[in-house]
Amino acid sequence: MAAERILFVDHTGQLGGAELILLDVAAGRTDASVFLFEPGPLSKALAERRLEVVTSKWGEGLARFRRDSSALAALPLLGRLMAIILEIARAARRHDLVYANSQKAFVLAAIARLLVRRPLVWHLHDIISAAHFGRLQRRLQIGLANACAAKVIVPSRAAATAFIDAGGRPDLIEIVPNGLALQPEPCLRSELRAMLGLPTGPLVGVFSRLAPWKGQHVLLQALAKLPDVGCIIVGDALFGEQDYATRLRAMVAELGLGDRVRFLGHRSDVPRLMQAVDVMVHPSIDPEPFGRTLVEAMLVGVPVVATDAGAAPDILERGRAGSLVPSGDAPALARAISAVLAGAEQLQPQLDYAARRARSEYSLARMLDGIGLLINKVQTGAAA
Ligand code: UDP
Ligand code: GLC
């Protein structure tokens, strides 16, 4: 019988999409602990699920260290990184398997493995490409994965292809699509808007953390071409992208959108808020590794317009479950939003199909089964 003591490792205490997945994967594993580089809302959420949390003494602020920083800029951090590696090794000693949930967590856990050898699984939530990682970083990630990962779990074919194209071993990859257990509470769009003080006219929304690659600026450019359309921007800069948040607010003023665009900040009721809008826009300018918000919109029955890159075309079944537009193309995005708003009455069959697809392909149970099987396989292989 395979042992069950798993050490989950994540670099951030924030609640990004990858950490929301970690919460679901770790929940219910009573013998598991979670090692975090820093405290934050994630620590609280884990504690609420009765999971033991070990927080590094040295990791605070590392999450905001730019992923593409040069090796030279990273030099002063080396001492702290070494200290975290020792902390991970110490924690790993009490566990049978280490499960790294982010790339920084994976790199440090892989080095810690030199001290305490445990099977290491990497749940890779990123597209490994030059857009997000420096050359050295990519070589380090891939080199370590090829040398010592027992398995690399990715949420989409897009993330798998990027890993392999970057030199990763294809046999390590296991695609387990993200799954959500959302039980939408249906509410009337008009009532919700009245409650939230939102306008009654056409309204679109974007529900992602604020970061340049999430492309909120493309939506603002599109809105400049749609004079009657209002917009809510939900989400905050979680990983140090404050400059971008400031730039977005400046753009709203420059484009004269002040009376049509509202920033609602980070919210914990995204699926409910989504039901207030006529279109959920997903404008990422780099390929999205997965995109939980796509599935959330499908589940609550809101039309989606998304960038045709990364996992979006798979999730939206190449346009059958939502509209796809070229990346970074504001005029095309404006046209697609107009088309959805104009054809709202005919959209119901597409929305029903999207909700069915989200429930069957992207359920939490399916994701947990996939990951559970894989962990058992890794543990059995390690014990053999
Ligand atoms: N989210 C949230 N509050 C916000 C904005 C986003 O809870 O203000 C949630 C959103 O509902 C989704 C997750 O954060 O479940 C983001 O995951 P996604 O995969 O879409 O993107 P990521 O931010 O992980 O790149
Ligand atoms: C990352 C990706 C996002 C994905 C999430 C969970 O944050 O950016 O696309 O949905 O992880 O896998």
Side-chain angles (χ1 to χ4, degrees):
M1 174 67 199
E4 282 284 323
R5 290 178 305 169
I6 301 177
L7 178 68
F8 292 93
V9 186
D10 203 311
H11 72 289
T12 181
Q14 295 296 329
L15 278 176
E19 288 67 41
L20 293 169
I21 296 292
L22 171 66
L23 276 178
D24 283 333
V25 174
R29 292 188 173 267
T30 43
D31 279 346
S33 321
V34 183
F35 179 94
L36 298 181
F37 289 16
E38 61 176 17
L42 174 60
S43 326
K44 195 170 159 257
L46 288 163
E48 280 165 8
R49 286 162 179 77
R50 298 175 190 287
L51 284 153
E52 185 196 332
V53 181
V54 182
T55 310
S56 167
K57 292 192 185 68
W58 305 97
E60 185 96 52
L62 275 187
R64 284 178 292 284
F65 186 73
R66 279 172 56 88
R67 294 204 271 201
D68 55 356
S69 299
S70 67
L72 203 64
L75 222 50
L77 291 171
L78 271 182
R80 283 170 68 195
L81 296 177
M82 282 310 298
I84 301 172
I85 290 167
L86 292 177
E87 290 177 320
I88 296 175
R90 202 174 310 128
R93 210 162 267 137
R94 294 187 288 117
H95 296 83
D96 305 299
L97 181 140
V98 178
Y99 187 109
N101 195 58
S102 65
Q103 70 87 22
K104 287 190 182 100
F106 171 70
V107 168
L108 299 201
I111 301 172
R113 202 172 161 274
L114 294 172
L115 304 169
V116 178
R117 284 184 81 81
R118 295 288 183 273
L120 174 59
V121 171
W122 182 11
H123 198 155
L124 166 59
H125 297 276
D126 297 293
I127 300 256
I128 296 194
S129 72
H132 293 280
F133 300 99
R135 206 168 130 252
L136 254 172
Q137 250 180 324
R138 278 179 279 149
R139 288 179 71 166
L140 184 67
Q141 292 162 2
I142 296 292
L144 287 170
N146 287 348
C148 60
K151 274 289 169 198
V152 177
I153 304 174
V154 288
S156 61
R157 282 193 308 149
T161 306
F163 175 82
I164 294 163
D165 287 351
R169 274 170 41 202
D171 60 300
L172 288 178
I173 282 286
E174 200 80 37
I175 301 177
V176 181
N178 286 336
L180 284 86
L182 183 60
Q183 299 286 356
E185 272 178 41
C187 36
L188 222 55
R189 193 161 287 165
S190 52
E191 278 175 19
L192 196 55
R193 286 210 199 163
M195 217 152 64
L196 296 164
L198 295 171
T200 49
L203 187 70
V204 302
V206 58
F207 300 84
S208 298
R209 61 195 163 83
L210 306 183
W213 74 273
K214 289 289 187 182
Q216 284 91 348
H217 60 283
V218 183
L219 176 57
L220 294 181
Q221 287 158 356
L223 284 167
K225 299 176 192 305
L226 299 166
D228 300 323
V229 179
C231 172
I232 53 173
I233 299 190
V234 176
D236 205 349
L238 292 189
F239 301 113
E241 302 93 344
Q242 283 308 332
D243 288 355
Y244 182 65
T246 309
R247 205 178 108 211
L248 286 176
R249 286 189 162 79
M251 261 184 91
V252 167
E254 281 157 25
L255 294 169
L257 301 172
D259 55 343
R260 292 197 276 133
V261 174
R262 272 183 58 186
F263 288 89
L264 300 190
H266 184 85
R267 301 276 304 215
S268 53
D269 56 350
V270 163
R272 187 175 80 105
L273 275 178
M274 275 181 179
Q275 295 178 71
V277 302
D278 301 297
V279 187
M280 198 292 280
V281 183
H282 191 271
S284 300
I285 55 169
D286 290 335
E288 184 73 42
F290 185 80
R292 285 169 52 100
T293 52
L294 296 168
V295 176
E296 287 164 350
M298 289 159 79
L299 287 170
V300 298
V302 174
V304 176
V305 174
T307 300
D308 190 3
D314 277 355
I315 295 174
L316 297 174
E317 218 184 318
R318 262 142 289 280
R320 196 171 163 201
S323 310
L324 292 163
V325 290
S327 160
D329 187 339
L333 181 57
R335 283 195 297 277
I337 291 172
S338 293
V340 173
L341 290 171
E345 262 116 68
Q346 293 90 59
L347 271 182
Q348 202 51 48
Q350 186 192 65
L351 297 179
D352 293 340
Y353 178 75
R356 278 200 307 278
R357 175 168 170 73
R359 281 196 299 270
S360 66
E361 301 298 309
Y362 306 110
S363 73
L364 178 62
R366 196 167 172 171
M367 177 181 80
L368 293 181
D369 283 353
I371 293 177
L373 275 175
L374 188 137
I375 286 175
N376 284 345
K377 216 183 337 173
V378 168
Q379 285 179 325
T380 314

